[in-house]
Amino acid sequence: MAKPAALLLSLFLLLSLPGCSFTGLSAQNLMSPPKTNADQQSIYRLLQGNQTDVTLLYPRNGEYRSAIITRDFTGDGIEDAIGFRLAEDGGVEVQFLMKLESGVWGVAAAFQNKATLVDRVCFGNLGDGRQAVFIGWGNPSGATGRTSAVNAYVYQEDGNVREHSLGNYGELILTDFDEDGVDELFTIDKYVLPAEGEGEAAEPVSAQARVFAFEGDTPHEMASAPADNSISNYASVAFGWLNSYTQAVVVDGADANGSMTTQIFVLEGSRLENYPLGVNTEEYANRFARPAAASFLARDINGDGYIEFPTVTPLPGLPEDIVPDSTSFLVEWRAMTQFMDSRVILRALMNPRENYWFRLPYPLQGKICAINDPERRTVTYTLVTTDNQGRQLLSGNLFSIRVFTEAGWKSRGKSSGYTWLAAQGDGVYGIQIHTGNESYVRMIEEIAKGFQLLDPA
């Protein structure tokens, strides 16, 4: 019993070091064979170097959030490791670690970056088993978009790791436009005014999207396109199919006032095109523009495997004393044709704050208003009629959708007149019908049957 006790004690002491943590250490992993723990301790000691203590740093965004990431980037079938620590002289140091034939861990390469944080890490397939490691340094949410940059790190046959600078970005994503199994990297940055002190001759830098591809071990810019200069913050980026013919990078972004638009980047031959065309010209009009209150993101809304795009119209009859929010709009979800035109595939009412939506039956389009009570987590949908003078009037509640906690549903939901719709996490969704009109009741039953949940925020 002495050896297991000593092992647990050493792990406890190691985890007690300030700023330190191991990838995947849990109660379950404490029961793993000593070999695994020995690997973790070896990796930690290499990161520690000659220091008595080491501060590990964690990527802020993306799929990989650990200070120590295990991944086979060399393509030899054996897991390697990447570790981030605070450099002794400031900035961040990344170490690329490999297990040698003797079973001992060694440092293949180490690089320092003057950035104070790691934004994200992603891995791109090179087609021969190896993976390019892309590291975003800095903060892409900065006001200028020039506070972050991405580098590519590629393992060489001679055992070295080579660093390649790919420039600044506000958002990035892996792509495979030509479907050859070798990933590209898409980046998009923001419009930047000249910094103070650069002089009157300094020119602003326009927003730009770029696609980087690999020739052997070396990345190069294969295509670029202008991006919208009005965007100050990127909300989401996705790579996927628009239809059975076209793949694209879809970027949602907001301007300084919070109004949102969607840009669609398609690789056409060797050219990268940004749709709608004509960005940053006086004639440019983005048909997917929507106000800050309607900041819906492009997504595959109907599960058909293609990305759809939201356009919005305010619901009629909204009282003047109510501030519009995401429930206050009819959302037309549009699909892109192979000719980059769009067509409406469904009309819906959305509540992204509570992660649900439903298709609005045609007879109710233009005749329904939504009154949201976020404190009660209840939206009441009301019939709208038009009087002889053309005024739109609220003329009776049709139904309400409310979100209960699980405990709240058990204690009062079933007796409150609501019928169960769905559950997600600790939330239970219920619907209550307020009208006795048979025609409207049938439509509300159709809404309840088609009620859909979004992915949790």
Side-chain angles (χ1 to χ4, degrees):
M1 298 296 293
K3 288 185 177 179
L7 175 61
L8 290 174
L9 178 60
S10 64
L11 285 174
F12 173 79
L13 292 174
L14 196 53
L15 289 172
S16 300
L17 291 172
C20 298
S21 175
F22 281 143
T23 302
L25 271 185
S26 62
Q28 179 64 38
N29 284 337
L30 288 176
M31 300 170 62
S32 300
K35 182 179 178 181
T36 300
N37 294 326
D39 283 344
Q40 292 171 337
Q41 292 183 44
S42 296
I43 292 170
Y44 176 82
R45 282 194 294 268
L46 287 171
L47 288 172
Q48 187 177 18
N50 296 323
Q51 297 175 262
T52 57
D53 194 6
V54 61
T55 301
L56 301 184
L57 298 177
Y58 300 78
R60 298 279 185 95
N61 298 295
E63 179 181 355
Y64 302 94
R65 303 290 185 94
S66 176
I68 301 173
I69 301 168
T70 55
R71 185 84 175 212
D72 178 18
F73 59 79
T74 61
D76 62 0
I78 302 173
E79 276 197 335
D80 309 301
I82 301 168
F84 297 96
R85 70 169 194 172
L86 185 67
E88 295 182 59
D89 55 353
V92 182
E93 179 177 283
V94 58
Q95 291 187 13
F96 292 85
L97 309 166
M98 297 168 51
K99 182 176 283 190
L100 307 178
E101 292 182 1
S102 62
V104 177
W105 283 89
V107 179
F111 301 91
Q112 287 197 22
N113 194 284
K114 63 182 180 181
T116 57
L117 60 84
V118 182
D119 173 49
R120 72 191 67 189
V121 179
C122 52
F123 298 87
N125 292 321
L126 293 177
D128 58 1
R130 292 177 304 150
Q131 296 192 324
V133 183
F134 298 103
I135 300 177
W137 299 101
N139 180 15
S141 299
T144 67
R146 292 302 193 279
T147 59
S148 59
V150 58
N151 291 349
Y153 299 86
V154 182
Y155 177 75
Q156 310 290 305
E157 292 183 359
D158 60 8
N160 293 318
V161 176
R162 184 170 298 170
E163 180 182 50
H164 304 270
S165 175
L166 303 184
N168 301 293
Y169 74 96
E171 189 55 270
L172 57 78
I173 194 170
L174 291 173
T175 65
D176 185 8
F177 279 108
D178 54 10
E179 297 182 87
D180 64 352
V182 178
D183 290 328
E184 307 101 20
L185 183 74
F186 173 93
T187 67
I188 185 169
D189 57 13
K190 306 172 192 175
Y191 178 81
V192 179
L193 291 169
E196 292 185 12
E198 289 188 2
E200 296 182 359
E203 297 269 337
V205 179
S206 292
Q208 195 80 4
R210 298 176 173 87
V211 178
F212 295 92
F214 279 87
E215 288 184 359
D217 292 337
T218 305
H220 67 99
E221 183 182 311
M222 67 175 294
S224 65
D228 192 340
N229 284 338
S230 70
I231 299 301
S232 59
N233 179 57
Y234 293 115
S236 73
V237 60
F239 174 68
W241 290 94
L242 305 182
N243 47 60
S244 57
Y245 304 95
T246 310
Q247 293 189 94
V249 174
V250 176
V251 183
D252 288 311
D255 64 18
N257 298 318
S259 298
M260 185 168 286
T261 57
T262 302
Q263 300 174 81
I264 306 170
F265 294 90
V266 178
L267 192 63
E268 298 177 350
S270 61
R271 290 178 56 85
L272 186 66
E273 293 287 0
N274 182 357
Y275 290 92
L277 297 173
V279 67
N280 301 325
T281 65
E282 292 183 2
E283 298 79 19
Y284 179 68
N286 191 313
R287 58 184 176 273
F288 302 116
R290 53 249 191 222
S295 55
F296 308 106
L297 304 177
R299 63 170 69 226
D300 177 10
I301 189 67
N302 59 357
D304 63 356
Y306 303 130
I307 300 174
E308 285 89 30
F309 304 87
T311 57
V312 302
T313 304
L315 293 176
L318 193 69
E320 293 183 358
D321 60 342
I322 292 181
V323 178
D325 63 16
S326 62
T327 67
S328 307
F329 299 86
L330 174 68
V331 184
E332 292 186 333
W333 288 95
R334 294 176 172 267
M336 301 299 295
T337 71
Q338 67 180 104
F339 306 107
M340 297 305 291
D341 297 320
S342 67
R343 58 183 180 85
V344 177
I345 61 166
L346 67 87
R347 293 177 174 88
L349 298 185
M350 312 284 298
N351 188 351
R353 176 172 176 170
E354 297 290 3
N355 300 318
Y356 70 81
W357 68 276
F358 55 85
R359 186 190 296 263
L360 187 64
Y362 179 78
L364 288 178
Q365 293 174 19
K367 298 179 181 179
I368 195 170
C369 181
I371 308 297
N372 188 15
D373 184 346
E375 291 187 3
R376 296 182 62 243
R377 303 182 72 179
T378 303
V379 182
T380 301
Y381 298 90
T382 303
L383 185 66
V384 176
T385 58
T386 303
D387 66 10
N388 294 332
Q389 299 179 357
R391 293 176 299 184
Q392 294 176 325
L393 306 174
L394 302 182
S395 58
N397 296 337
L398 294 175
F399 64 99
S400 297
I401 293 178
R402 182 173 180 178
V403 185
F404 298 82
T405 64
E406 187 176 354
W409 176 258
K410 290 179 179 179
S411 65
R412 66 181 184 279
K414 296 179 181 179
S415 61
S416 62
Y418 282 85
T419 301
W420 187 94
L421 283 172
Q424 185 180 72
D426 187 48
V428 176
Y429 298 79
I431 187 169
Q432 184 177 40
I433 299 176
H434 302 299
T435 180
N437 183 292
E438 291 184 4
S439 177
Y440 289 135
V441 168
R442 285 195 297 270
M443 284 185 274
I444 296 168
E445 289 174 344
E446 179 184 341
I447 288 171
K449 186 177 180 180
F451 181 84
Q452 299 285 331
L453 293 177
L454 298 167
D455 294 331

